[in-house]
């Protein structure tokens, strides 16, 4: 990890903030490569059809429009279908919503690596909040243990146990960076994943064909794929769900952190941040210059992971 | 060769017509350009007085003359252990023996328990600045509108401020297909 001079740092911080402000919010989904994608989509639809199995509602799902093209009524229909499916399978009534981005908000995390002690409260809060499969265990957050004074992500240990923090170690929580220049969305052959106006990269689990190109494209190992039927107890289900975030996923789709958009778009904090007992995680609207995240990016020596790739991540790390 | 070209042109025509049908979509969840920004975060500091055991302290302390108190003051408050830094052994560095319902600066100005971060800030200036900007500590309640900031003593016992070690929660299970690159030394 290169630590740069103070001047350099403040220049870069100012530049980053400016860049954030400049990013055009209402960039519609690109039609670039539409032809290419359409042909891929035809092939992909075949795959999806064979995957959707024998569910009675499987065909509705198969003929469902792309989420971005759906009208409000069509969405209602889809939500009703999902609620019904969940009721059938788990016998719980869910509250499925679809909160839109908050106008003018751009979400970011700032994480203090001096304070994080690797206790993994965030990992488990995330699993519970987001109805992740318990077996096989799907976890969006990975905390890696590194030797102090080093910064080689490949040498980290994600499987440490026992009392933390350990001597001469520090802990680095990793999850989806919601990049402003996301490599993952570009490789999706069916446009099942895209970036929304508040910066969150979302996935339509009904549209995803499970090809996992996006997983290969992600330099942060943030995306997860569930090969088996997700296993969840009825009592474990969080009924506060949204279409693009934590509803129970079908088997064979890609999923990842979405900054708890079903919470954050209503003004709440993400589950991981709320659960953090050390205060290492800060979350907020980086477009608001008085927010803690904006203040940290401006005043602390922050860095992002793999900056050289030009992905423009939205999780800033710092030591204090 | 000829048939191939024919196929292709049919395909292109087909795609073209589909494109026409599909070309009038709007992007989802698009934010209106003119929309007002979200309400900024309004952070208040969580007050301490209601959370301190036995507050107000004067209930007792109006009957305890400062002059009669033992040097380290722990005869009555046996649960208080002062382990802040070597040599810190005087309660009166922070507490005001003449008015136990408030704290005092080293320069003797009174400080309310509700703003005890001012006491810490005397010696931990840098941490206090970080806490002021939000880089140290924690804000709860949400990122827009009303939110609350936890004060120093919400996380650090002022008498033994070091944070205890914790037990890490369960590690992720080892992947069946072996440990992926980057997950192990």
């Amino acid at each position: 990890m290169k630590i740069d001079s103070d001047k350099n740092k403040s220049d870069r911080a100012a530049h980053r903030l400016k860049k954030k402000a400049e990013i055009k919010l209402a960039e519609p989904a690109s039609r670039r490569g539409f032809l290419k994608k359409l042909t891929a989509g035809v092939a992909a639809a075949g795959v999806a059809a064979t995957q959707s199995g024998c569910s009675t509602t499987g065909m509705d799902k198969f003929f469902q429009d792309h989420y971005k093209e759906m009208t409000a009524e069509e969405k209602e229909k889809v939500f009703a279908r999902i609620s019904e499916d969940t009721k059938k399978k788990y016998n719980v009534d869910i509250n499925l919503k679809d909160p839109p981005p908050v106008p003018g908000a751009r979400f970011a995390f700032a994480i203090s690596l001096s304070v994080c002690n690797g206790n993994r409260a965030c990992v488990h809060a995330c699993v519970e909040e987001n109805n992740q499969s318990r077996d096989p265990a799907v976890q969006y957050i990975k905390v890696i243990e590194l030797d102090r004074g080093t910064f080689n992500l490949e040498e980290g240990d994600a499987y440490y146990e026992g009392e933390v923090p350990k001597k001469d170690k520090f802990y680095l929580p990793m999850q989806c960076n919601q990049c402003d220049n996301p490599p993952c969305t570009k490789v999706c052959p069916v446009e099942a994943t895209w970036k929304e106006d508040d910066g969150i990269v979302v996935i339509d689990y009904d549209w995803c064909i499970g090809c996992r190109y996006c997983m290969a494209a992600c330099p942060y190992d943030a995306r997860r794929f569930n090969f088996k039927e997700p296993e969840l107890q009825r009592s474990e289900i969080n009924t506060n769900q949204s279409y693009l975030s934590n509803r129970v996923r079908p088997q064979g789709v890609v999923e990842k952190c979405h900054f708890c958009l079903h919470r954050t778009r209503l003004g709440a904090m993400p589950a991981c941040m709320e659960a953090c007992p050390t205060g290492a995680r800060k979350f907020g609207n980086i477009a608001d210059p008085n927010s803690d995240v904006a203040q940290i990016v401006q005043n602390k020596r922050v860095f992002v992971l793999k900056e050289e790739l030009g992905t423009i991540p939205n999780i800033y790390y710092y030591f204090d | 060769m000829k048939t191939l070209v024919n196929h292709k042109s049919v395909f292109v025509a087909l795609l073209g017509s589909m494109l026409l049908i599909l070309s009038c979509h709007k992007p989802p969840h698009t934010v209106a350009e003119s929309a007002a920004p979200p309400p900024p975060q309004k952070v208040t500091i969580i007050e301490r007085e209601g959370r301190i055991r036995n507050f107000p302290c004067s209930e007792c302390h109006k009957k305890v003359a400062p002059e009669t108190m033992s040097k380290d003051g722990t005869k009555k408050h046996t649960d208080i252990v002062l382990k802040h830094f070597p040599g810190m052994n005087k309660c009166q560095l922070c507490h005001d023996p003449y008015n136990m319902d408030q704290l005092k600066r080293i320069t003797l100005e009174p400080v309310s328990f509700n703003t005890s971060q001012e006491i810490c800030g005397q010696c931990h200036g840098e941490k206090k600045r970080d806490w002021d900007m939000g880089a140290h500590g924690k804000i709860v309640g949400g990122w827009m509108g009303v939110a609350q900031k936890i004060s120093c003593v919400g996380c650090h016992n002022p008498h033994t401020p070091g944070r205890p070690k914790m037990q890490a929660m369960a590690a992720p299970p080892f992947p069946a297909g072996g440990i992926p690159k980057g997950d192990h030394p």
Side-chain angles (χ1 to χ4, degrees):
Chain A
M1 194 61 232
K2 198 173 96 250
I3 306 285
D4 23 28
S5 75
D6 266 334
K7 154 116 184 41
N8 214 335
K9 174 215 122 198
S10 60
D11 282 359
R12 282 225 318 258
H15 172 72
R16 281 203 191 110
L17 280 184
K18 193 158 147 263
K19 207 152 173 186
K20 296 267 175 223
E22 278 169 5
I23 285 168
K24 268 217 84 67
L25 290 184
E27 187 90 44
S30 138
R31 293 278 148 217
R32 189 165 39 88
F34 177 76
L35 291 177
K36 196 176 79 200
K37 281 181 183 164
L38 193 64
T39 46
V42 172
V47 179
T50 50
Q51 269 191 356
S52 58
C54 51
S55 148
T56 47
T57 46
M59 275 331 245
D60 290 352
K61 176 176 158 190
F62 177 53
F63 285 116
Q64 169 180 326
D65 244 338
H66 187 285
Y67 189 68
K68 297 190 196 181
E69 327 289 5
M70 276 187 221
T71 62
E73 299 94 80
E74 282 170 326
K75 280 187 186 175
E76 279 312 315
K77 258 206 206 136
V78 169
F79 291 3
R81 167 180 58 76
I82 293 168
S83 305
E84 200 183 300
D85 280 357
T86 318
K87 175 90 183 165
K88 230 185 270 164
K89 197 163 164 202
Y90 297 102
N91 195 24
V92 285
D93 291 304
I94 62 166
N95 176 15
L96 189 69
K97 284 182 306 237
D98 178 37
V102 178
R106 298 283 300 187
F107 293 134
F109 260 106
I111 302 181
S112 166
L113 300 182
S114 315
V115 171
C116 176
N117 67 4
N119 62 69
R120 290 207 189 91
C122 55
V123 177
H124 293 273
C126 173
V127 168
E128 278 162 31
E129 177 69 30
N130 291 311
N131 294 315
Q132 272 138 264
S133 168
R134 308 302 202 270
D135 181 30
V138 174
Q139 301 182 348
Y140 295 169
I141 305 175
K142 180 166 83 176
V143 186
I144 59 176
E145 184 184 70
L146 290 158
D147 288 330
R148 272 184 198 274
T150 69
F151 209 101
N152 187 344
L153 299 185
E154 313 248 305
E155 281 171 8
D157 176 6
Y159 301 100
Y160 64 86
E161 278 172 39
E163 213 165 58
V164 287
K166 297 209 175 77
K167 203 170 172 291
D168 297 324
K169 302 278 187 193
F170 73 97
Y171 298 83
L172 181 105
M174 284 173 78
Q175 66 211 71
C176 175
N177 276 286
Q178 320 292 352
C179 304
D180 284 351
N181 183 18
C184 52
T185 59
K186 293 180 190 143
V187 297
C188 179
V190 294
E191 269 192 67
T193 179
W194 64 90
K195 191 169 174 69
E196 296 229 305
D197 291 345
D198 50 6
I200 299 176
V201 175
V202 295
I203 300 167
D204 181 350
Y205 313 115
D206 283 0
W207 205 251
C208 173
I209 55 167
C211 74
R212 294 182 285 142
Y213 283 4
C214 56
M215 288 177 74
C218 174
Y220 305 104
D221 187 23
R223 289 178 172 254
R224 304 282 178 268
F225 183 76
N226 195 352
F227 286 93
K228 298 207 193 115
E229 188 69 21
E231 204 154 286
L232 272 162
Q233 297 303 315
R234 178 171 179 254
S235 59
E236 288 169 340
I237 295 207
N238 172 9
T239 54
N240 173 22
Q241 302 185 1
S242 101
Y243 183 87
L244 292 172
S245 68
N246 66 338
R247 66 185 165 107
V248 178
R249 270 78 59 192
Q251 174 186 0
V253 299
V254 173
E255 48 185 293
K256 67 167 187 68
C257 162
H258 37 69
F259 280 8
C260 279
L261 65 82
H262 53 285
R263 298 168 63 103
T264 49
R265 284 182 177 174
L266 306 178
M269 294 292 199
C272 57
M273 186 275 178
E274 213 155 74
C276 177
T278 65
R281 288 173 173 272
K282 326 284 177 195
F283 179 86
N285 175 13
I286 202 165
D288 170 4
N290 292 320
S291 67
D292 49 356
V293 280
Q295 287 288 314
I296 291 164
V297 170
Q298 199 133 48
N299 296 312
K300 303 294 287 184
R301 199 186 284 271
V302 297
F303 60 90
V304 295
L305 298 180
K306 306 193 182 180
E307 182 168 28
E308 67 280 8
L309 300 179
T311 49
I312 319 183
N314 276 307
I315 299 187
Y316 297 92
Y317 295 91
Y318 63 104
F319 290 95
D320 53 26
Chain B
M1 261 301 121
K2 198 158 172 263
T3 50
L4 211 135
V5 169
N6 278 343
H7 273 129
K8 210 163 141 194
S9 55
V10 170
F11 189 46
V12 165
L14 211 109
L15 281 185
S17 53
M18 284 176 91
L19 197 70
L20 266 177
I21 301 165
L22 293 172
S23 57
C24 55
H25 303 133
K26 57 224 168 297
H29 288 170
T30 296
V31 170
E33 295 272 342
S34 57
Q41 202 179 31
K42 274 217 175 56
V43 184
T44 56
I45 295 158
I46 297 180
E47 302 203 333
R48 297 296 310 172
E49 286 185 352
R51 293 165 195 264
I52 298 173
R53 290 175 292 164
N54 298 330
F55 194 85
C57 317
S58 52
E59 299 260 307
C60 255
H61 271 276
K62 64 188 175 211
K63 295 178 227 145
V64 189
E67 293 75 21
T68 64
M69 283 192 252
S70 63
K71 260 241 174 65
D72 62 0
T74 48
K75 249 195 230 149
K76 186 76 195 173
H77 299 288
T78 46
D79 53 333
I80 305 256
V81 182
L82 209 49
K83 232 177 100 190
H84 198 130
F85 59 87
M88 189 198 257
N89 53 11
K90 268 187 71 203
C91 316
Q92 296 178 13
L93 187 65
C94 308
H95 291 280
D96 180 353
Y98 295 95
N99 182 358
M100 277 300 176
D101 291 342
Q102 63 187 27
L103 299 161
K104 69 172 169 62
R105 287 178 178 275
I106 296 166
T107 48
L108 304 181
E109 291 102 34
V111 171
S112 151
F113 275 105
N114 286 336
T115 52
S116 59
Q117 63 274 5
E118 299 302 326
I119 295 292
C120 319
Q122 298 175 104
C123 306
H124 300 289
E126 202 177 334
K127 275 282 176 298
K128 171 69 167 42
R129 269 197 302 281
D130 278 356
W131 179 85
D132 282 337
M133 80 165 83
H136 188 77
K138 181 166 177 169
I139 294 174
V140 294
W143 61 270
M144 92 179 147
V146 219
Q148 297 87 36
K149 189 180 266 190
I150 299 177
S151 72
C152 313
V153 290
C155 294
H156 299 286
N157 182 324
H159 311 117
T160 49
R163 299 255 314 174
K165 282 199 185 291
M166 292 176 72
Q167 204 65 30
M169 291 179 75
F174 268 32
I179 301 164
K181 187 172 148 228
D183 281 5
H184 205 274

